[in-house]
Each structure stands twice: as C-alpha cells, then as structure tokens.
Amino acid sequence: MGGRFGDGAVVPEPETEVFHADWHPRALAVTLACGSLGQWNIDASRHARERLAPKDYASFSYYEKWMAALADMLVDKGVLTPDELAGGRAVGPSPLADRKLTRGAVAGVLARGGPADRPAQIDVAFAAGDAVRTRRHAHNVFVDGGHTRLPDYAAGATGRIVRMHGHHVLPDAAAHGLGDRPEPLYAVAFPASELWARPEHPRDEVVLDLWQSYLEPAT
Amino acid sequence: MRVKALETILTEKGLIDPAALDEIIDTYENRIGPRNGAHVVARAWSNPAFRDALLTDATAVVSELGYYGRQGEHMVAVENTDEVHNMVVCTLCSCYPWPLLGIPPGWYKSDAYRARAVREPRKVLADFGVTLPEDTAVRVWDSTAEVRYLVIPQRPAGTEGMDEAALMDLVTRDSMIGAGLALKP
C-alpha cells in the first residue's frame, strides 16, 4: 500500500498505550506461541496475512488479520482440523504437544529471536554507490502470486546501493517451503522523484532493503 | 471472541500454555519498551565512542546492553542531522525494532502511515506537529527485510550539562521512529 492515496490522517497516540483492546495482547501471544511449534517461518506467516481476501485485508483490524491468518495456517498445516476450528472443541491431543512453548521457555525464545542471516557462497554483485534497477514487476519468480518483499511502488525503479547487510534468507523462497536460498541483502536508496509523480522535496529519498535477485545493474 | 476460542482449542490440544501467554504479554507490556531505545540514544548523545560504535555495528552495541532479541536481530542506527532527517516505516507489514521500542504503536501499523510515509513524509510529520527546515532532506527507511532501524534524533540545544538519565527523558518513542523530535529540556 506504500504510496496509496486516500487513507487520511495519521493519528499520534501516547507512549503508554501498548494495546488497544483486551484481546489484542492475547492475539499477539497466541501467535508467538504457535510460531514456536515450528510449523511455519516468519515469511510464511506474513504471506498468510497478505493472502487474506483483499476485502478482508481492507476491513479487518490489525490483530483480526493476525487471527485470521493464524487460523488459516493452523488448518493448512494440519495442526487443527477445520471441524475443530468451526466447533471450538479439540478432538484429541496433538502430536506436536511436546513442542509447546512453556512459561519457563518464553524469556529464552524472545531473547534468542530468529536471525535471518545465513552463511552463503553467493558472490556479492554490488558495492556501495553502484546504480541498480529493481525488477519491473514486484512479483515472486517461483510461485505465481507468491510472497515478495519488493513493494509495488519501488518496482522498475533506479537507485543506488547504500550498504550491504550480509547474506539473508530470501523470503520469496522461504515463504513457500523452498528453502532459505540466502542472498546478499542491500539497503538501496531511491530519489523520491524516481518513485513519485510529485515528490515533496528534490533531495528526499526512500531506502529499501532488497535482495540481490531483485536487482540488476543500471547504467 | 475469536482469539479466546482459538486459545481454548489450542490449550485442549496441548499446544498452548496459557501461563506462557501471560509471560509474553507481561514482557511486552511491562519489561520491553521504548525506554530501552531511549537509553541507547541518551548514551549515544553522551558518549562519542559509543555513538561511533552504534553507527558502525548497532546489533553488537545494543546486544551488550541486553537489547538483542526477537525482531531486533539485525539492527542499524541512523542519525538525524541538520542535513538529513531519518524516518522509519514498514509499508509491507509492521516491522519494528521490538527489543528497543517494544510493540509498535497503532499509528505505525495503520494503513495511513504505511501508505503515506514513503510518498509524503513531510505531511505525515505535520500530523505529528513537526515541521522540518526547508534545507533538511528526508530519508525514509522502508523496513522490507529483517533489518530493523533505530533513529538517533538530534540532541536538543540547551542539554550540555545533562547526564544520561536526564537525557533519556527527552527521548520519545516517536523521535526514535523519526515521526517526532526529541523533547526540549
């Protein structure tokens, strides 16, 4: 939705306001706890939210999207049956129960996180200052309609490499069970005038983190 | 409520420990939040060697302070100056440096911020009551990967004699996203 018109004002809120309804923290916690079952990765869970029906994506609140996507993934992976979900009752214990996130394990799991960098042999093609152009279409090359992290607004745009972050898991592959396929990841700066018909200021820019396969040399 | 129903089924199946959920919520409601980031910024303002190290390898530096963790595995710090104002968004979802800033505010996750921050950051800043000097460029960082950005706001004038603890109080959450400025003393 980057660049879209019509969304109205951004409404600031106090720093003390962390959640906006009683069930929001619960939704966050259930999602994190289910992630620990190891049935999907962060890219698959992002894709599960993106592939909600567009009218649902537009009308659901933030955590409603999380819950709808979580329910979809639990059924897709066979963790719950559609009947269990619809009936609200479990039919027997799960074979994954030994992976349950326990209270005692929470601090360690949150502290360890899930780093996305991987050892890889792929040559680094670009250096800081190099001019690069993004793919013409923001699409997944492996799966039609699949997950990608190139936003539409930055497709087919020319920018320059700011820095290399290391080799990172390629979400386009990882979201679809195609392995990590790590690639060099770069911060790429685009002049606002390259992205928008009416940039606010001649020196403004937008920087995106983009994988090497999203980019080609620009002359 | 849907989340309650889901929690009940998952607990019955032995997949969820409700006490673990309480622990996760307590962590992000009470223990991990923007005061962590404010600590980092105040130290960067006070200590030039720390600032340099932070700008060179933020992940290593914040890890030493105990601020490594989920959604903060790959940190980059960007510094606001008279020449450039940095601002962070995630247009694709809601990526945010949890160990330093906690759970993102509602506006950060809103369609309005995600849609507008990249195209008209100055108008978005105006929604926060911020007007930048005409000769300051805006650099918006769209968090499209697992790298998380922390903005080091400009240190306000008149803070020369203040210690780290006093400086921390001037560092707002919004200023570390680049949607605001640090408070004046």
Side-chain angles (χ1 to χ4, degrees):
Chain A
M1 67 179 68
R4 189 171 78 180
F5 283 80
D7 287 290
V10 177
V11 183
E13 66 189 27
E15 206 166 298
T16 47
E17 205 171 310
V18 179
F19 295 106
H20 303 82
D22 290 346
W23 63 273
H24 290 181
R26 221 70 199 159
L28 171 82
V30 168
T31 303
L32 296 192
C34 286
S36 285
L37 299 173
Q39 301 304 292
W40 52 78
N41 56 38
I42 191 163
D43 300 302
S45 58
R46 288 201 183 107
H47 185 55
R49 289 168 205 147
E50 289 170 353
R51 72 176 183 222
L52 295 171
K55 67 177 169 48
D56 289 339
Y57 193 92
S59 64
F60 284 4
S61 70
Y62 183 76
Y63 285 114
E64 283 173 339
K65 282 182 226 161
W66 278 42
M67 285 298 95
L70 177 61
D72 287 347
M73 287 192 294
L74 288 167
V75 171
D76 283 353
K77 294 293 178 188
V79 180
L80 296 180
T81 66
D83 287 348
E84 285 177 313
L85 197 62
R89 299 300 299 178
V91 181
S94 169
L96 297 172
D98 60 349
R99 300 190 187 192
K100 176 171 70 178
L101 178 67
T102 59
R103 179 179 197 131
V106 167
V109 164
L110 298 182
R112 275 193 300 281
D117 56 336
R118 299 284 185 274
Q121 303 303 320
I122 297 190
D123 288 344
V124 176
F126 305 114
D130 286 357
V132 291
R133 187 180 307 105
T134 57
R135 253 183 207 142
R136 181 158 170 249
H137 301 288
H139 75 124
N140 184 309
V141 297
F142 309 113
V143 178
D144 201 22
H147 183 63
T148 189
R149 298 293 287 178
L150 174 62
D152 282 327
Y153 78 83
T158 300
R160 66 182 163 74
I161 303 285
V162 175
R163 62 186 291 166
M164 211 279 270
H165 293 300
H167 289 75
H168 280 228
V169 171
L170 180 67
D172 307 50
H176 299 283
L178 301 174
D180 286 347
R181 304 199 194 188
E183 287 186 7
L185 175 73
Y186 306 90
V188 186
F190 300 87
S193 58
E194 173 73 8
L195 304 174
W196 317 114
R198 294 189 178 183
E200 286 188 314
H201 190 282
R203 290 197 296 119
D204 287 357
E205 17 177 62
V206 181
V207 185
L208 295 91
D209 288 327
L210 301 171
W211 283 260
Q212 187 158 292
S213 61
Y214 293 5
L215 305 169
E216 60 180 19
T219 47
Chain B
M1 187 59 63
R2 186 172 198 174
V3 61
K4 188 71 205 160
L6 204 49
E7 184 183 333
T8 302
I9 308 174
L10 290 165
T11 304
E12 286 175 4
K13 299 218 44 113
L15 295 171
I16 286 269
D17 172 8
L21 305 190
D22 294 338
E23 181 74 9
I24 293 169
I25 293 165
D26 185 50
T27 301
Y28 291 112
E29 273 189 331
N30 301 314
R31 295 203 286 271
I32 295 182
R35 293 303 91 205
N36 291 356
H39 179 207
V40 173
V41 170
R43 183 161 293 185
W45 283 350
S46 315
N47 181 335
F50 180 88
R51 168 200 167 269
D52 294 347
L54 184 66
L55 290 172
T56 304
D57 185 354
T59 312
V61 169
V62 304
S63 296
E64 277 182 35
L65 294 176
Y67 302 146
Y68 179 88
R70 189 187 178 92
Q71 286 300 309
E73 297 92 343
H74 308 282
M75 286 302 310
V76 170
V78 293
E79 185 181 48
N80 286 349
T81 64
D82 288 341
E83 286 73 43
V84 61
H85 177 90
N86 294 281
M87 193 169 160
V88 182
V89 63
C90 174
T91 64
L92 295 175
C93 40
S94 54
C95 299
Y96 191 75
W98 290 14
L100 290 168
L101 300 185
I103 299 298
W107 60 259
Y108 185 87
K109 300 178 284 202
S110 71
D111 289 2
Y113 187 74
R114 291 169 54 195
R116 294 176 54 211
V118 282
R119 179 173 51 77
E120 50 180 19
R122 289 159 196 270
K123 289 198 179 72
V124 170
L125 285 169
D127 288 348
F128 288 85
V130 173
T131 308
L132 297 177
E134 181 53 33
D135 51 357
T136 301
V138 176
R139 181 180 265 195
V140 181
W141 299 80
D142 189 354
S143 313
T144 44
E146 297 307 328
V147 179
R148 299 288 170 266
Y149 292 91
L150 177 76
V151 175
I152 307 173
Q154 281 191 284
R155 180 171 176 165
T159 58
E160 290 71 18
M162 293 173 70
D163 65 12
E164 207 175 284
L167 289 170
M168 267 182 74
D169 290 340
L170 306 179
V171 184
T172 64
R173 175 197 61 203
D174 294 358
S175 74
M176 293 182 280
I177 308 171
L181 307 178
L183 301 175
K184 294 190 172 68

